[in-house]
Amino acid sequence: VSVPLGEHPLTEGAYYRLQCPHLSRVEWHPFSLACSNATMRAEFIVKDLGAWTHALHASLADASARGVALTEEMRVRGPYYAPALKARTARRPLLVASGIGITPFLSVLHAKVYEFANRELEERRFRALFPDKLEVSGSGGRQRNRSFTSKVAPSRRMRTASLEKLDKQKQTRLLWMVPDFAYIDFFLDYLVILMRLVDDAAHPPARIKIFFTGVRSRDLGTLIFDLMVALHYTSLGGPC
């Protein structure tokens, strides 16, 4: 469920309560945030497990079948404290999740990746503003381009080395134990799409290690499928 919030800030790692007045004007249901402030909207993963969620899924399915957006009002209340809040501000958090328990960490990972991606954009702006020919040595050497006499930038090599060291120090690591991929393949899609944003980074802001712990079905076809997925998604973001 995606709810546009405009300028309202979000708190990564927290959970919020949702209400759909057209379903019930008294029921509020808690869901972990699945995105960061970078989206300008609040995203929640809602599984069809009860009467309220079933009615919500039915409304969304009906709107999708008609090719229109769901126009009914959705109310959001929060944020509310959750342990994952501490991971957002920790310097190098280690996150451990099992199955659907990964949900509270999605907003934290989203925030880390987008901070890194935005910094990469800033690096491009910096390099455009201070190309090599405009750099000044730290010992006070002459400026190489007389057209710009007030721009002084650190050498690109020193700046890059400093950022790579910082990346290592601030990297988030997630260990995710999965009993059966057939039930949570959406989370795999979410993580793969998110980590593709930093595919070319030497030290990505997050590393995800997935541990396959077994299957709930004895069906041979299901077992083979799960093993193939496990081999393909062993690690995201490089070695953990």
Side-chain angles (χ1 to χ4, degrees), residues 4 43 49 64 80 104 119 147 156 181 189 191 212 226 230 237 240:
E43 296 177 358
L49 285 176
S64 177
Y80 294 93
R119 197 203 69 198
S147 300
R156 185 180 300 177
F181 282 105
D189 291 338
L191 293 173
F212 178 70
D226 287 333
C240 194

Side-chain angles (χ1 to χ4, degrees), residues 131-166:
D132 287 343
K133 63 180 180 181
L134 297 177
E135 291 180 359
V136 178
S137 65
S139 58
R142 291 184 178 180
Q143 201 146 13
R144 301 177 188 174
N145 190 318
R146 297 176 60 189
S147 300
F148 299 91
T149 58
S150 61
K151 296 180 180 179
V152 179
S155 72
R156 185 180 300 177
R157 181 176 300 176
M158 292 177 59
R159 183 176 175 85
T160 300
S162 176
L163 288 173
E164 288 184 355
K165 182 178 180 180
L166 183 64

Side-chain angles (χ1 to χ4, degrees), residues 97-112:
S98 176
I100 200 170
I102 191 178
T103 308
F105 296 137
L106 295 181
S107 60
V108 176
L109 292 172
H110 193 282
K112 298 284 187 181

Side-chain angles (χ1 to χ4, degrees), residues 208-225:
I208 303 169
K209 192 73 173 179
I210 302 175
F211 295 90
F212 178 70
T213 60
V215 293
R216 299 175 184 174
S217 170
R218 297 181 180 180
D219 177 71
L220 181 60
T222 302
L223 176 61
I224 294 175
F225 170 79

Side-chain angles (χ1 to χ4, degrees), residues 16-196:
Y16 289 74
R17 295 183 182 274
L18 302 183
Q19 183 195 71
C20 293
H22 74 287
L23 298 180
S24 172
R25 292 187 175 275
V26 296
E27 292 186 44
W28 290 85
H29 295 262
F31 295 96
S32 297
L33 185 67
C35 65
S36 68
N37 267 314
T39 62
M40 299 293 289
R41 62 184 180 274
E43 296 177 358
F44 305 94
I45 298 173
V46 181
K47 190 171 183 178
D48 186 355
L49 285 176
W52 187 87
T53 55
H54 179 74
L56 179 61
H57 272 253
S59 297
L60 293 172
D62 179 64
S64 177
R66 291 185 287 114
V68 298
L70 186 63
T71 57
E72 280 79 2
E73 179 183 8
M74 177 75 76
R75 297 174 181 174
V76 181
R77 179 184 290 175
Y80 294 93
Y81 175 82
L85 271 168
K86 295 183 178 180
R88 179 67 183 87
T89 54
R91 185 171 184 82
R92 195 177 184 184
L94 173 63
L95 314 177
V96 181
S98 176
I100 200 170
I102 191 178
T103 308
F105 296 137
L106 295 181
S107 60
V108 176
L109 292 172
H110 193 282
K112 298 284 187 181
V113 167
Y114 270 80
E115 278 183 4
F116 184 91
N118 288 337
R119 197 203 69 198
E120 290 291 300
L121 291 176
E122 166 57 20
E123 279 297 296
R124 296 178 193 174
R125 184 202 67 85
F126 181 89
R127 289 195 293 267
L129 188 61
F130 295 106
D132 287 343
K133 63 180 180 181
L134 297 177
E135 291 180 359
V136 178
S137 65
S139 58
R142 291 184 178 180
Q143 201 146 13
R144 301 177 188 174
N145 190 318
R146 297 176 60 189
S147 300
F148 299 91
T149 58
S150 61
K151 296 180 180 179
V152 179
S155 72
R156 185 180 300 177
R157 181 176 300 176
M158 292 177 59
R159 183 176 175 85
T160 300
S162 176
L163 288 173
E164 288 184 355
K165 182 178 180 180
L166 183 64
D167 290 340
K168 290 182 179 179
Q169 294 173 348
K170 296 182 67 176
Q171 192 174 78
T172 299
R173 299 192 177 206
L174 169 66
L175 306 181
W176 187 26
M177 291 166 284
V178 183
D180 192 339
F181 282 105
Y183 295 98
I184 49 178
D185 54 349
F186 172 81
F187 292 104
L188 287 174
D189 291 338
Y190 183 102
L191 293 173
V192 170
I193 292 172
L194 186 64
M195 295 305 294
R196 279 176 183 166

